[in-house]
Amino acid sequence: MPSFSGGVVGGGVGGPASAPPRPFRPSRYVPVSAATTFLVGSTTLFFCFTCPWLTENISSVIPIYVAVIFLFTLANFCMATFMDPGVFPRAEEDEDKEDDFRAPLYKTVEIRNIQVRMKWCGTCRFYRPPRCSHCSVCDNCVEDFDHHCPWVNNCIGRRNYRYFFLFLLSLTTHIMDVFGFGLVYVLHHPQELDTPHAAVTMAVMCVAGLFFVPVAGLTGFHIVLVARGRTTNEQVTGKFRGGVNPFTRGCWRNISHVLCSPQAPRYMGRWWNRHAVEIQPPFLRPALTEAQLEAKILDNGIQNDRHSTRSKSSLDQMESQSADMEAPPPPKPDFRYPGLPRADTEASSLLSEAPPTPLMYKYRPAYSSPGKNHAAVTHPNKMTRGESLDSQSPSILQSSRQPSYRSEPSSLDGATVVGRGVGVRRGGGDRGEGPGGPGGIAAVVSGGVSGYSLTGRSYTSYPSSLVLSAGGSRSSSLRSAQTVHNPLATLQSEGTTDTSYKSLANQTPRNGSLSYDSLLTPSESPEFESAAHELSPLRPHAPLPSPAGSGRPGAASPGSPLQGYTSPFLSAQIAQQREGQLLQGSTTFSSPHRAYLRAVSPPPSSPPGPPEAQHLLHHNQNPTSRIPRNPSSSSSSPGARSLDPPVSPPPRGLSLSKSPVHIGETGSRHKPRPAGLGAVLGGGGVGGGQQAPQSTSRPVLANHTTSKPVGGVKKVTGVGGTTYEISV
Amino acid sequence: MKGFFPTSTDGNMATEFHNLQELRHSASLANKVFIQRDYSEGTTCRFQTKFPSELESRIERTLFEDTVKTLNNFYAEAEKIGGQSYLEGCLACATAYLIFLCMETRYEKVLKKIAKYIQEQNEKIYAPRGLLITDPIERGMRVIEISIYEDRGSSGSSSGSSSVSDSTAR
């Protein structure tokens, strides 16, 4: 089948919010032309050669009936072919002001108590809503993406799934009718088979019979999907193999949703009558209530120092949480865009599940652009600059440990962190904090710069996905806070996995489909949790906020050791921000890593451990040898979008973080890490789909899950590498 | 030019002889807040009603929450699976979907109501506070974008008119 064109290569940004113009590829139209030809041609021949006799000798209703079915089939075919499946317009730049380099690749949301991760789409520049996927053929993100059907040369998504489904049903019926009536004709003319009528009838029957098998098979498949409330994409990637589908409402309701729901609106090509609204100062302001005034006083006063009012609100959350923040958070927005108010980005606000829209707490240095990502990653020098923070870092790490953990995400997106004690912890884990965590402190001390940025990256991708909202926040923390918080920690050598960062995603032509992050299976997140939990005792500071939603253990704030994990961009940032802001960030970073590490340590499956350590150390030396994202990984097949090719980078990232971690580790707790990490790495590979490492990660996960001190969350892992956490 | 009688001004410096335009303050886009979708109940369209911290000093919490809740109600009404949507589907099938050429679907009707509501909210509540809500449909229903404007002081230039809404440029 095929004629899949490879899709647009490097499609640039066309209109402000529309897909870029794509080159004309005639090969894409072959299947749809063939399908149309067969359908219309065969039916026409049937009507011309077979129907007259049937009408006279059997019944005159036959042609009417067949015609009705045929028209219905044709109408549904046309709707499935020409209707916009639910394409999302490209996000505007304002929505994502975050430095791509630091943005986490996944954000997690909770749907009916099940964690679902949203992946960053580099092409469309937003975090894909649940069930949305990017089609490489059409180069668009499609809502409720089912698959790309070559026979209709269109994606099947929310808006046209119903028509596609009806098309399949009616086509099956039509094929059966044509075949059946042709058979009746042939059986009544056994001696006239050499006449043209009979010959044509038999030819039509052959075509019908030939197409009946695949069409009926596909129809049956979709009937099952509709009944189960799944999309083809989800089915093929095995997202819900564990049996938990957050989108199903029961068989009957699923069917009625497909067939009877209102026609969804299209997002593209809308031309609303925009009436200009005049905005003229002076502006009304609400009176500050007593409580608000008090709240402002109570926060640790850092905000007052901030001249940038924009980040104030975001800082509020962060700062109130991190009472021990020692240095006023840097006026991040100004660093990056001096003079330009820091806008809250859409992406950042996604980090919190139900949080107030966070204002991105930008720690970032003035990175110029996505191109920087690579630069940051491959400049260990920058890391060294961060080392200067060492002197302060220990104390900061100490104090900020917990807060950093928490605040980090919050810094990134305000609310996320604060409330999410759980999330924070987790986030730390998934960001790659695990490996970086323990290393964080060590890194601080030793100034291990190398893998800093790298590690952060790799973790971001998977942990965040699984981790719940907190994870999201964590990931965001990676984005900016990390660099600030734990420059040293992150320096650890995390193998930066390109996939884990938005920036990387944005740079590849097929960003949407990059699935490196899948390597970091969500399954690992639970490990983070436990890790974080265990790490929490290390924190001298404030009690971690109770986990939000996920029931995870409050641990949180992983100690600085994990910091190193934080991320590659830290290095760059360190260069720029050597003040307290870095300190703040560092703490946070460490925790996630630590959490992560801890998660892996408990499981007894340690075979990968020692080799992992070696591997990690090796990788540490070679931060730049990261495997570049492979654009081709984006599967062109409809269902395979979510499949992530096995990519080494993520594991590398893990390994990188691991080594520093071990260096920094002081407690016995950390010992088992290598083994655990190995397992985790295996888990990382899961994303891609079925790989050997997956199996290793599974047992780890299993162990981890069972050993989790705090219950309330059950993790279900899908084959596709997606892990869903269900709050119990 | 000086000597120009300030017939109607913003109220500030009303007694001074200034160019009328100089007396007008301009607003410029300072920040954008994005209200994310609330997926806790699945993929039905709902937005988070949590009050973003950036708006704390700009608008009362209740007003904001009312707006978002009303929008959520609109969307729930649009996506409701009931008798009307079923009949609409049957009619569409019966006419081989040609009915879509003439008739507006229920969802589209509700979207028009939503657009009107947002326009009205902007005019009455948000613009006076230096805020502007962008219809989420323009963002693919992923976020509600609220633009925050700051008073940049008197512009003194001929282009000192107020800024226009629609911060989103498509």
Side-chain angles (χ1 to χ4, degrees), chain A residues 16 94 343 346 349 353-354, chain B residues 31-32 36 48 50 142 170:
Chain A
D94 292 349
E346 179 190 354
S349 61
E353 284 173 348
Chain B
N31 197 357
K32 284 191 183 180
Q36 296 294 331
Q48 293 173 2
K50 192 146 178 187
R142 292 177 294 106
R170 271 209 139 170

Side-chain angles (χ1 to χ4, degrees), chain A residues 405-417:
Chain A
Y405 194 109
R406 261 180 301 178
S407 58
E408 194 174 282
S410 58
S411 65
L412 290 181
D413 45 44
T416 324
V417 175

Side-chain angles (χ1 to χ4, degrees), chain A residues 261-445:
Chain A
S261 64
Q263 175 62 50
R266 70 177 188 285
Y267 302 131
M268 305 289 290
R270 295 192 83 89
W271 302 107
W272 286 103
N273 207 4
R274 294 185 186 181
H275 308 284
V277 174
E278 189 174 296
I279 297 195
Q280 179 70 18
F283 298 137
L284 300 175
R285 299 273 172 157
L288 279 183
T289 64
E290 193 66 31
Q292 282 172 311
L293 286 169
E294 227 174 281
K296 283 189 188 291
I297 294 167
L298 284 178
D299 75 42
N300 60 2
I302 291 176
Q303 293 182 13
N304 300 336
D305 297 344
R306 305 170 92 65
H307 61 279
S308 81
T309 54
R310 297 167 280 283
S311 49
K312 198 192 286 195
S313 51
S314 59
L315 283 177
D316 271 352
Q317 314 227 357
M318 187 180 62
E319 291 171 42
S320 52
Q321 301 287 331
S322 50
D324 50 6
M325 275 224 209
E326 312 209 342
K332 299 161 191 65
D334 300 8
F335 270 82
R336 189 145 170 185
Y337 299 115
L340 190 69
R342 201 91 273 268
D344 181 10
T345 69
E346 179 190 354
S348 62
S349 61
L350 268 176
L351 290 178
S352 48
E353 284 173 348
T357 306
L359 178 65
M360 289 308 302
Y361 196 32
K362 315 218 189 280
Y363 284 99
R364 351 188 224 204
Y367 269 100
S368 55
S369 62
K372 277 211 180 158
N373 305 331
H374 301 295
V377 176
T378 58
H379 287 358
N381 314 336
K382 294 191 179 180
M383 300 284 184
T384 53
R385 288 172 75 177
E387 295 174 31
S388 60
L389 294 172
D390 282 358
S391 57
Q392 321 169 36
S393 53
S395 59
I396 293 174
L397 290 173
Q398 288 276 310
S399 59
S400 56
R401 222 187 280 166
Q402 170 148 20
S404 64
Y405 194 109
R406 261 180 301 178
S407 58
E408 194 174 282
S410 58
S411 65
L412 290 181
D413 45 44
T416 324
V417 175
V418 175
R420 309 249 150 166
V422 181
V424 169
R425 289 188 283 275
R426 287 181 73 141
D430 59 9
R431 273 290 199 106
E433 292 177 344
I441 296 184
V444 172
V445 177

Side-chain angles (χ1 to χ4, degrees), chain A residues 16-17 71-72 75-76 79 83 88-92 94-96 109-113 118 124-131 143-144 158-159 162-163 166 246-247 249 253 256-257 259-288 292 296 309-310 313-314 316-317 340-350 352-360 415, chain B residues 10 12 23-45 48 50-61 64 77-82 84-86 88-89 92-94 96-97 100 105-108 111-112 115 119 122-132 135-143 145 147 149-153 160-170:
Chain A
L71 283 174
F72 190 65
N76 284 301
M79 292 295 267
M83 178 168 264
F88 281 111
R90 301 277 200 267
E92 301 204 347
D94 292 349
E95 280 191 46
D96 172 41
V109 289
E110 189 170 296
I111 300 180
R112 299 203 190 120
N113 292 331
M118 306 199 302
C124 305
R125 318 289 297 215
F126 54 76
Y127 285 93
R128 296 182 197 140
R131 305 196 110 175
E143 189 174 10
D144 287 3
R158 178 181 176 196
R159 294 187 76 229
R162 171 186 343 171
Y163 308 115
L166 292 175
F247 307 108
R249 297 164 232 205
R253 294 182 101 180
S256 71
H257 173 71
L259 297 180
C260 306
S261 64
Q263 175 62 50
R266 70 177 188 285
Y267 302 131
M268 305 289 290
R270 295 192 83 89
W271 302 107
W272 286 103
N273 207 4
R274 294 185 186 181
H275 308 284
V277 174
E278 189 174 296
I279 297 195
Q280 179 70 18
F283 298 137
L284 300 175
R285 299 273 172 157
L288 279 183
Q292 282 172 311
K296 283 189 188 291
T309 54
R310 297 167 280 283
S313 51
S314 59
D316 271 352
Q317 314 227 357
L340 190 69
R342 201 91 273 268
D344 181 10
T345 69
E346 179 190 354
S348 62
S349 61
L350 268 176
S352 48
E353 284 173 348
T357 306
L359 178 65
M360 289 308 302
Chain B
D10 298 355
N12 321 330
L23 293 169
R24 294 177 68 106
H25 284 221
S26 64
S28 65
L29 180 61
N31 197 357
K32 284 191 183 180
V33 175
F34 295 93
I35 313 293
Q36 296 294 331
R37 282 271 293 268
D38 173 13
Y39 292 109
S40 59
E41 289 170 23
T43 49
T44 50
C45 187
Q48 293 173 2
K50 192 146 178 187
F51 189 62
S53 45
E54 296 84 350
L55 298 182
E56 254 172 46
S57 60
R58 304 300 301 254
I59 192 170
E60 289 83 359
R61 182 183 292 258
F64 169 82
E77 178 201 333
E79 294 187 353
K80 198 167 66 118
I81 299 177
Q84 190 179 352
S85 64
Y86 177 71
E88 207 172 72
C93 272
Y97 308 115
F100 287 139
T105 68
R106 177 155 145 241
Y107 212 119
E108 293 286 340
L111 284 180
K112 285 214 170 126
Q119 175 79 14
N122 273 337
E123 282 167 4
K124 292 194 187 146
I125 297 174
Y126 288 83
R129 289 168 172 79
L131 303 172
L132 202 65
D135 197 333
I137 194 76
E138 296 177 21
R139 295 283 172 268
M141 310 252 281
R142 292 177 294 106
V143 287
E145 181 183 309
S147 310
Y149 289 84
E150 293 285 353
D151 183 355
R152 292 294 173 213
S161 53
S162 60
S163 60
V164 183
S165 64
D166 290 337
S167 53
T168 63
R170 271 209 139 170

